[in-house]
Amino acid sequence: MPIIQVNMMEGRSDEQKERLIAALTEAVVSSLGAPQESVRVLLNEMPKAHWGIAGKSARALGR
């Protein structure tokens, strides 16, 4: 059972997340030949205040 974990900053729409899940699933199916129903995708959304870039939070950088 392939499991994909994605860590990303908060702020994307539900529709964007659905598209990402579908695209990642298709990539695993086509590249590994895994059955679609066996693929798991876990999205971990991080608050921008918890995401550091070059010593500052993403929130402080306006991202």
Side-chain angles (χ1 to χ4, degrees):
M1 169 189 331
I3 301 172
I4 302 165
Q5 286 192 326
V6 178
N7 295 311
M8 60 187 191
M9 281 188 274
E10 65 186 353
R12 283 145 180 115
S13 69
D14 288 342
E15 293 79 18
Q16 289 173 311
K17 290 182 266 188
E18 289 288 341
R19 285 194 306 269
L20 177 60
I21 290 168
L24 290 171
T25 299
E26 179 54 35
V28 169
V29 169
S30 66
S31 63
L32 298 181
Q36 182 172 343
E37 56 276 358
S38 74
V39 179
R40 305 293 187 264
V41 178
L42 306 173
L43 302 180
N44 301 309
E45 289 188 284
M46 305 292 288
K48 292 180 180 185
H50 295 182
W51 193 281
I53 303 168
K56 295 187 178 189
S57 73
R59 179 188 295 167
L61 293 171
R63 302 226 177 159

